[in-house]
Amino acid sequence: MSTFRIISFDGGGIRGALSAKLFKRLCDKYPTLIEDTNMFAGTSTGSLIALALAYGRDPSQIDFFYNPINSKKIFTPSHLNLFRPKYSNKNLKKSLYTAFPKDLLLSDLKKYVLVPAFKTDGLLNNNWQIVFFNNLTQNPTSNFKVIDVALSSSAAPTYFPSHNNFIDGGVILNSPTAASMFSVIHNQSNAHKISDFRILSIGTGVYPQKINANTHNWGSLQWIFSPFSKVKTPLISILLDNNQPLEDFYCKELLSKNYFRLNPIIKHDIQLDDYTKVPLLKLIGDSIDLSDCYSFIENYFLK
């Protein structure tokens, strides 16, 4: 059995600019990092990064994708999202067409990839279900178009419209680290055991959150939309941004030193659609001390 290396990217909307910048820095230091990686996994904005890397895009191109002008186009114009999504996915789709050929399939990609999304009417049965788009084998998802996969996994409820009845994979799995490893084990006929895996998980930054209001008597409306609370959309925020610690725990327990989580604490509350914060996110990405991550890559990931 041989070493199997996975790099995973969290969801987080515009905060993907931080992930892209951090990864570019890693590639600048380790030019063979992409070549030496077997699989890229990503949810929501992380799926865009993972798919682009699996296709063969340069980290500099991905970093540039998260520029202020393009980000503003994706997140404008905005609408009151009580009875419709806050944004159309029209501009996001246009941006994806600049990154990927229109008819590119998952099975065409140069690297293995795994992207979670949630199918509201079921893909293989009559129940709603999480779907792991992947090209590990010929399977019901491997012939999906890459652009459709990206639009499906990034369809954050209330922000973007569902895509073919898929919504953001972050409602179930915002950090697809453990899922990517188990998918390889399951789909490749036990060709790998857990000790073979090396996983680098890259987040979109941690800003400590809490709801200061007394939630004892909250009903549906308050959990969905709380305009006087610091967290304006409590339930959506919890669903899309709160399962990473559990994934982190699983991977630490299973992989020990063969796993590393790069997810810096940020001092600013940056909403997933706040495109004005892209320059700040890039500045943070350039200033973070990566020495611990460098040590992991040199002593474990690339060993």
Side-chain angles (χ1 to χ4, degrees):
M1 296 187 183
S2 59
T3 300
F4 195 100
R5 300 180 180 92
I6 300 172
I7 300 181
S8 172
F9 298 91
D10 287 10
I14 205 65
R15 297 200 310 271
L18 174 60
S19 309
K21 177 61 71 175
L22 292 172
F23 187 69
K24 180 182 178 299
R25 287 182 61 193
L26 296 179
C27 290
D28 288 343
K29 186 170 180 66
Y30 305 101
T32 67
L33 185 59
I34 294 174
E35 178 184 345
D36 293 331
T37 300
N38 301 93
M39 169 185 272
F40 295 101
T43 299
S44 195
T45 195
S47 76
L48 277 59
I49 299 173
L51 290 165
L53 291 169
Y55 175 53
R57 289 295 183 190
D58 185 272
S60 296
Q61 294 174 307
I62 299 171
D63 180 42
F64 181 76
F65 181 87
Y66 290 91
N67 66 71
I69 295 174
N70 192 45
S71 300
K72 182 178 181 179
K73 286 181 180 178
I74 291 171
F75 288 106
T76 53
S78 65
H79 311 280
L80 182 65
N81 57 345
L82 291 177
F83 300 103
R84 61 178 295 182
K86 189 173 183 180
Y87 307 102
S88 164
N89 64 5
K90 179 180 177 181
N91 290 330
L92 173 58
K93 190 180 299 184
K94 287 181 179 178
S95 294
L96 291 173
Y97 282 140
T98 68
F100 304 103
K102 180 179 179 180
D103 295 321
L104 182 72
L105 306 179
L106 284 188
S107 57
D108 297 328
L109 296 175
K110 300 175 182 179
K111 295 281 187 176
Y112 290 129
V113 70
L114 180 131
V115 172
F118 189 81
K119 191 78 160 73
T120 59
D121 56 357
L123 181 65
L124 302 176
N125 53 50
N126 291 323
N127 294 323
W128 54 22
Q129 65 183 121
I130 190 167
V131 173
F132 294 108
F133 291 103
N134 72 87
N135 59 354
L136 286 161
T137 61
Q138 284 295 322
N139 65 78
T141 71
S142 59
N143 286 322
F144 271 70
K145 293 180 180 180
V146 166
I147 289 175
D148 286 328
V149 173
L151 290 171
S152 297
S153 187
S154 59
T158 76
Y159 289 92
F160 287 113
S162 63
H163 184 70
N164 298 329
N165 287 338
F166 284 99
I167 60 173
D168 196 312
V171 299
I172 298 294
L173 208 62
N174 202 45
S175 178
T177 45
S180 60
M181 177 176 64
F182 287 123
S183 292
V184 173
I185 293 173
H186 174 74
N187 285 288
Q188 297 199 339
S189 302
N190 297 314
H192 297 279
K193 56 185 178 181
I194 288 178
S195 60
D196 294 330
F197 288 91
R198 308 290 185 269
I199 300 182
L200 171 60
S201 175
I202 300 178
T204 59
V206 176
Y207 177 79
Q209 293 272 35
K210 65 178 180 179
I211 299 173
N212 290 315
N214 185 347
T215 61
H216 179 73
N217 291 316
W218 276 15
S220 300
L221 182 60
Q222 290 97 328
W223 279 109
I224 294 170
F225 181 61
S226 183
F228 303 111
S229 171
K230 186 176 180 180
V231 182
K232 306 299 182 187
T233 55
L235 189 58
I236 296 298
S237 297
I238 291 169
L239 287 172
L240 293 180
D241 209 27
N242 205 46
N243 54 33
Q244 299 98 322
L246 187 59
E247 287 290 304
D248 189 40
F249 173 77
Y250 288 153
C251 288
K252 283 179 179 176
E253 288 296 308
L254 291 169
L255 297 170
S256 187
K257 293 181 179 180
N258 290 329
Y259 164 79
F260 187 86
R261 174 74 167 160
L262 176 58
N263 194 29
I265 294 175
I266 56 178
K267 299 178 181 180
H268 308 271
D269 182 14
I270 301 175
Q271 299 300 308
L272 68 81
D273 59 342
D274 190 355
Y275 60 84
T276 66
K277 296 298 193 298
V278 167
L280 173 62
L281 287 162
K282 290 180 179 289
L283 182 63
I284 294 171
D286 275 330
S287 62
I288 292 295
D289 180 6
L290 296 180
S291 54
D292 287 344
C293 190
Y294 293 157
S295 178
F296 165 75
I297 291 173
E298 293 170 12
N299 296 315
Y300 297 98
F301 193 81
L302 294 180
K303 288 292 186 180

